[in-house]
Amino acid sequence: MLEVSSPPTAETAAGEITGQTTGQTTGQTTGQTTGPTTGQITGHTTAETTAPDAAEPPKKIGWFQRLKAGLTKTSAKLSQDIVGIFTKRKLDAETLQELEDSLIEADLGVETAMRITEALAKGRYNKEIAPAEVRAVLAAEVERVLGPVARPLLLVGEHRPHVILVVGVNGTGKTTTIGKLAQRFAQEGRKVTLAAGDTFRAAAIEQLKIWGERTGAEVVARAAGADAAGLAYDALARARENLSEVLLIDTAGRLQNKQLLMGELEKVIRVLRKIDVTAPHHVLLVLDATTGQNALNQVEVFREKAGVTGLVMTKLDGTAKGGILVAISAKFGLPVHAIGVGEGVEDLAAFDAGEFARAVALS
């Protein structure tokens, strides 16, 4: 049986999960951009006035500091290797090979590693070079790879609703990412409908209902085990009926090497196109940064089967080799819309190539 959860009252939905971001270091995954800043993914809540003698709350860590912390595993290892390789040694074939090996171990990919060592060798071969200069070249080359793919998620065209299908393997954070995007759209004043398309997991359905309550979005759901394609069809029909601007569709996590499950995902897309031949308008692949090289295969298969249009990378929490995003960008050139460094709404922001490069190479 189809279940439609109507949006809660404004009093219930207002401001429960919003953080505060400022300046250029925080970006938005959606909407318009202004100047060099891609905007912010969350708004802010107004804190209640505290008593004069109340303890001062701890200062909130800025986005760039959280990003640096999330990339600690990659940046610390690279920094250590660079110092070890280049301290009191000339730049020669041996040191370049050692650096290339270190970059590949950091998951930056063979192509990017070769590009970095070639750039470093120009005009510096057989000369001593300081580790700081090596890191500066590394940052510049990483930014050069990532710059073209750093694009905010924009709703282009007259689609009503704008259908965003969110896909990925198990445990990447698809449902949480959908909730954070719904929050961002709601703060822009857009009407949103959510589709609980991960019908394999009752917990995912309940999780999306909670996000619906928090963001004021209507949720279309069925009982666990229901047909996901039928649910997607009903959700699109309902979103058109309630005049939503955005429909965010959750999907079940599926391994990219399971043909039957990937076939079901293709069925969801075919069914959506019975209502709107142009849908889905975005297919977002959510990647877990801790999966390393396996993420390359995920991108390849999901792009072929689901027509992935953009990426969101999550779980840059200090345990991941974030360099894999560089390898993915060099190989596929898909837009990277956002990255996540934690569970909070404010921990998902638009992808900034310069910030990422500095966090990897200069921290």
Side-chain angles (χ1 to χ4, degrees), residues 169 254-262 294 297-298 301-302 305:
V169 303
R254 59 200 75 226
L255 296 174
Q256 71 274 17
N257 59 355
K258 299 297 183 182
Q259 293 301 317
L260 180 61
L261 291 176
M262 295 303 292
N294 186 259
N297 182 246
Q298 292 175 32
V301 174
F302 276 97
K305 297 295 185 180

Side-chain angles (χ1 to χ4, degrees), residues 166-181:
V166 182
V167 302
V169 303
N170 294 302
T172 57
K174 295 184 300 299
T175 305
T176 299
T177 297
I178 286 173
K180 293 175 181 179
L181 290 174

Side-chain angles (χ1 to χ4, degrees), residues 89-104:
R89 291 177 67 185
K90 290 183 178 181
L91 187 67
D92 56 20
E94 184 180 355
T95 54
L96 285 172
Q97 185 60 57
E98 288 180 34
L99 176 62
E100 187 174 306
D101 291 344
S102 176
L103 296 171
I104 292 171

Side-chain angles (χ1 to χ4, degrees), residues 236-306:
L236 179 51
R238 178 56 187 161
R240 288 164 67 98
E241 181 181 302
N242 67 23
L243 303 180
S244 286
E245 294 181 65
V246 183
L247 170 62
L248 286 159
I249 303 176
D250 196 7
T251 59
R254 59 200 75 226
L255 296 174
Q256 71 274 17
N257 59 355
K258 299 297 183 182
Q259 293 301 317
L260 180 61
L261 291 176
M262 295 303 292
E264 290 179 358
L265 185 58
E266 292 176 299
K267 180 182 175 184
V268 168
I269 295 172
R270 289 196 304 271
V271 166
L272 288 171
R273 288 175 178 167
K274 290 182 178 181
I275 297 179
D276 182 347
V277 295
T278 66
H281 309 109
H282 282 285
V283 180
L284 303 184
L285 174 60
V286 180
L287 297 168
D288 178 343
T290 64
T291 58
Q293 290 293 315
N294 186 259
L296 286 164
N297 182 246
Q298 292 175 32
V299 175
E300 185 169 5
V301 174
F302 276 97
R303 186 177 67 162
E304 177 187 349
K305 297 295 185 180

Side-chain angles (χ1 to χ4, degrees), residues 308-352:
V308 170
T309 60
L311 307 174
V312 176
M313 178 159 278
T314 63
K315 302 189 180 180
L316 284 167
D317 57 3
T319 63
K321 287 185 179 180
I324 191 61
L325 187 58
V326 182
I328 289 170
S329 299
K331 182 173 182 178
F332 298 104
L334 285 167
V336 181
H337 296 308
I339 54 175
V341 297
E343 292 297 320
V345 176
E346 71 277 8
D347 292 328
L348 182 74
F351 180 62
D352 184 301

